[in-house]
């Protein structure tokens, strides 16, 4: 459980408060990691095994012993990386991890049907914990009125809270920061029916 019930309720309340004044639909989505990283686990294990093999060749010419060292090295590092996401992710470039997380975030935006809601004004606050990644995804209507740079400033602050393991505070701050601009550009309409109100979704990956 990434957020306890009290934290989820607080975030849901902030979403509800905003949706009482804006026609925009908000949903908070969180996952532990954005990929199984199986390919990366195998690739890194093979890479390190290759380096160890090259070093071993300098001191050992016995092919059987070399094979044993290669096999044991691969098994050892595969086990380490498979069991410890922290060890694996520490060796992957930040840009690569962020790209994987962004692809997963946009997939969730599509899976949740946020681009098809009646108000046509949807926002998803996405957090991937292991990658320390935050993204705010909006539909085309919101993109047309609010520049991406505005959301990036909020994301930059949100990431600081994620790194400090203060996720609930990060969500609440992010929602409050976008209150004014959403209410101004997308005020509540008399016949609005919020379909995703108060959603806090915790995915498991």
């Amino acid at each position: 459980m990434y957020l306890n019930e009290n934290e989820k309720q607080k975030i849901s309340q902030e979403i509800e408060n905003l949706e009482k004044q804006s026609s925009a639909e908000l949903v908070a989505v969180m996952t532990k990691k954005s990929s199984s990283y199986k390919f990366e686990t195998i690739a890194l294990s093979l890479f390190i095994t290759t380096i160890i093999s090259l070093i071993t060749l300098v001191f050992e010419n016995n092919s059987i012993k070399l094979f044993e060292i290669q096999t044991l090295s691969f098994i050892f590092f595969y086990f380490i990386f498979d069991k410890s996401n922290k060890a694996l992710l520490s060796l992957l470039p930040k840009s690569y991890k962020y790209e994987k997380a962004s692809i997963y975030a946009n997939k969730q935006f599509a899976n949740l049907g946020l681009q098809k809601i009646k108000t046509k004004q949807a926002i998803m606050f996405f957090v991937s914990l292991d990658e320390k990644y935050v993204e705010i995804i909006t539909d085309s209507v919101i993109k047309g009125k609010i520049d991406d740079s505005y959301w990036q400033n909020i994301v930059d602050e949100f990431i600081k809270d994620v790194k400090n393991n203060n996720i609930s505070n990060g969500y609440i701050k992010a929602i409050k920061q976008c209150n004014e601009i959403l209410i101004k550009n997308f005020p509540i309409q008399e016949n609005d029916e919020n379909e995703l109100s108060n959603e806090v979704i915790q995915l498991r990956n």
Side-chain angles (χ1 to χ4, degrees), residues 117-132:
I117 62 174
K118 293 177 183 177
T119 64
K120 302 297 183 183
Q121 298 144 28
I123 305 175
M124 184 176 77
F125 293 82
F126 175 84
V127 175
S128 188
L129 299 177
D130 284 0
E131 290 87 355
K132 301 293 187 292

Side-chain angles (χ1 to χ4, degrees), residues 125 134-136 146 148-161 170-179 181-182:
F125 293 82
V134 175
E135 184 171 356
I136 298 175
I146 305 175
D148 287 343
S149 62
Y150 177 83
W151 303 114
Q152 188 58 50
N153 291 331
I154 296 176
V155 166
D156 291 342
E157 288 297 314
F158 202 156
I159 289 176
K160 293 177 183 178
D161 285 312
Y171 269 118
I172 292 171
K173 281 167 56 180
I175 295 167
K176 286 182 175 179
Q177 281 179 280
C178 67
N179 275 9
I181 197 167
L182 288 176

Side-chain angles (χ1 to χ4, degrees), residues 2 7 23 38 42 49 53 75 96 119 168 184 189 192:
Y2 319 132
E7 290 172 327
S23 59
K38 288 298 182 183
I42 294 172
T49 298
S53 298
I75 293 172
Y96 181 82
T119 64
S168 175
K184 177 182 177 181
Q189 303 298 316
D192 276 346

